[in-house]
Amino acid sequence: MLIAIILTISLLLVWADWVVYRRYVRPCARAWARYMAIMLFVIANTLPYIAMAIMWLFEDESMVVEMWMLTLYTLLSLSRLALYAGILTIKNRYAKWIVGLSLCTIVAWVLLVGVVRTRKELTVKRADILSPQLPEAFDGYRIVFFSDLHIGAMTSVVEMCQNIVERINSLDADLVVFGGDLVNARYEELTPALQQILGGLRARDGVVAVIGNHDTGVYVRDTISLPIEENTRLLKGRISAMGWRIIDDKTELLVRGDDTLTITGIGFSRELLEHRHSADVADSLDLRPIYEGVPHDKFNITLSHMPQLWRKVSALGYGDLVLSGHVHAMQMKGRIGGCEFSPAQLMYKEWSGHYEERGSHLYITDGVGSVGFHLRIGAPPEITELTLRRAD
């Protein structure tokens, strides 16, 4: 559905450019100005295809450049549509330009703030998770959760990673949890310098992590020289060398006195890769082997990169708390009163923040990095401090 909407907007924009050219450019502009306008329209509308061609030719090395081109395309497209909304729908010759230019300025300003400021504003959010199943010894247990760094697509990656480590360590957590998509395409993005920085994360029960879809290497073009399995294995080795514990398809026990809770990680299987952007996942997906031997009478935390697995986990009797990333709120989120909205709602039923259903909690972080374009509107990079509370 989202792709259909994007294609519809793109075609609408091409049509609007043609109408504007016929009404305002061709009748009054000199020949050189008309040619210049046509050239600008063509470039503005073909930027995504130019970006894809660059990525195809240079693969991973071009990721940041490609994302800047898509960012420029987004800015030019949305601000242009705002301008056209005024000049093509209002008949009064003066009012149409006042309204159109005003709308264009507002939209361009919002987008520029998202590029220059919001995408760099690392934010700490806090939420309490109340559950009668929580053991008394874990009442007040604090988890710091972050996800989706996409370090290969980051600008100022060293500075951002240092900021992340400092902010998380300042929270003095019991446990640090990472929800996947550490890299954007291939394992080499996690350089020795970044390993040293991210290896500085500290918590009383350490750092646990799972692999996301980008971590597998599925976006590497040459999967013959670097198969998905090999990319995943090499990345896991680098992550483990930082002191993080990878819990893909594993369960650990967390102990406080005489009380215990379990934390389970869901790895990224081939089947999950095929359905990674589906509103739901395949009905045939069987999660039971992951939980084999995990007691039902213990409070369970499940770490799943994809939030679409929440109800499947809950149906098995696990996932008192499920932690997910993946969605990013599509890096665009707004609020009217107490209601939040985002393009992510076109694809995902649960897309950001805290949800509860029949005693099972889901928290979806908006992530830290960016995918597609260097832009975040109303959805700044997020670190989340979750406090477990025993409910009577």
Side-chain angles (χ1 to χ4, degrees), residues 55-353:
M55 185 178 68
W56 177 255
L57 290 172
F58 300 103
E59 203 175 359
D60 308 322
E61 294 82 359
S62 66
M63 182 61 66
V64 173
V65 174
E66 178 212 2
M67 286 177 59
W68 276 122
M69 294 181 71
L70 293 175
T71 303
L72 179 61
Y73 173 75
T74 303
L75 195 153
L76 291 175
S77 297
L78 296 182
S79 57
R80 210 153 81 249
L81 281 174
L83 172 66
Y84 294 167
I87 65 175
L88 295 180
T89 60
I90 297 175
K91 293 183 178 181
N92 184 281
R93 60 182 299 184
Y94 297 110
K96 66 168 56 181
W97 286 103
I98 293 173
V99 173
L101 289 172
S102 298
L103 289 174
C104 179
T105 301
I106 292 170
V107 170
W109 176 255
V110 170
L111 293 171
L112 285 172
V113 169
V115 173
V116 176
R117 182 177 176 182
T118 306
R119 72 181 180 92
K120 298 179 180 180
E121 285 188 327
L122 188 62
T123 304
V124 177
K125 294 185 178 179
R126 292 176 171 84
D128 288 347
I129 307 297
L130 280 69
S131 173
Q133 283 76 41
L134 185 72
E136 289 185 7
F138 285 91
D139 189 15
Y141 191 86
R142 291 184 301 110
I143 299 169
V144 172
F145 175 45
F146 72 119
S147 185
D148 296 88
L149 262 65
H150 296 276
I151 56 181
M154 263 191 191
T155 60
S156 307
V157 59
V158 170
E159 179 183 349
M160 177 60 86
C161 288
Q162 287 174 335
N163 192 9
I164 290 167
V165 171
E166 290 173 4
R167 296 290 289 277
I168 290 178
N169 286 347
S170 71
L171 297 173
D172 191 30
D174 291 298
L175 179 70
V176 173
V177 174
F178 179 73
D181 280 1
L182 181 62
V183 299
N184 196 63
R186 56 170 65 226
Y187 77 96
E188 292 102 331
E189 296 170 16
L190 183 57
T191 63
L194 294 177
Q195 282 181 280
Q196 184 175 5
I197 294 170
L198 294 172
L201 285 173
R202 296 289 180 265
R204 278 174 283 281
D205 288 327
V207 183
V208 296
V210 292
I211 295 298
N213 52 297
H214 281 260
D215 297 322
T216 63
V218 68
Y219 299 103
V220 175
R221 188 179 66 197
D222 185 4
T223 54
I224 296 176
S225 62
L226 185 60
I228 288 175
E229 292 78 8
E230 182 68 2
N231 184 86
T232 305
R233 184 186 67 82
L234 292 169
L235 179 61
K236 284 184 175 181
R238 294 194 177 195
I239 292 174
S240 297
M242 299 191 307
W244 296 13
R245 304 191 306 278
I246 299 173
I247 58 171
D248 281 7
D249 300 337
K250 298 177 183 177
T251 297
E252 288 191 355
L253 301 180
L254 298 173
V255 180
R256 285 289 185 276
D258 295 330
D259 290 333
T260 304
L261 57 77
T262 61
I263 180 165
T264 304
I266 298 178
F268 238 91
S269 64
R270 285 279 188 170
E271 191 169 10
L272 280 180
L273 281 173
E274 293 174 6
H275 299 276
R276 59 189 178 272
H277 296 304
S278 301
D280 198 357
V281 292
D283 292 335
S284 60
L285 182 66
D286 187 6
L287 298 178
R288 288 176 296 179
I290 297 174
Y291 291 94
E292 186 174 353
V294 179
H296 281 91
D297 61 344
K298 304 294 184 185
F299 184 93
N300 174 257
I301 301 169
T302 290
L303 183 54
S304 168
H305 182 66
M306 291 171 54
Q308 302 99 299
L309 299 180
W310 176 37
R311 289 184 176 84
K312 288 183 177 291
V313 171
S314 179
L316 295 175
Y318 298 100
D320 296 287
L321 171 61
V322 176
L323 302 177
S324 299
H326 188 55
V327 182
H328 301 214
M330 290 191 176
Q331 295 161 216
M332 293 185 182
K333 184 163 66 174
R335 179 189 291 270
I336 297 178
C339 180
E340 289 188 330
F341 55 92
S342 165
Q345 292 170 281
L346 299 173
M347 292 181 64
Y348 302 95
K349 185 175 181 180
E350 292 83 27
W351 53 276
S352 177

Side-chain angles (χ1 to χ4, degrees), residues 21 24-26 28-41:
Y21 174 78
Y24 301 107
V25 179
R26 191 169 64 180
C28 57
R30 295 177 181 271
W32 66 267
R34 294 198 297 269
Y35 296 142
M36 181 68 69
I38 292 172
M39 184 178 67
L40 290 174
F41 285 145

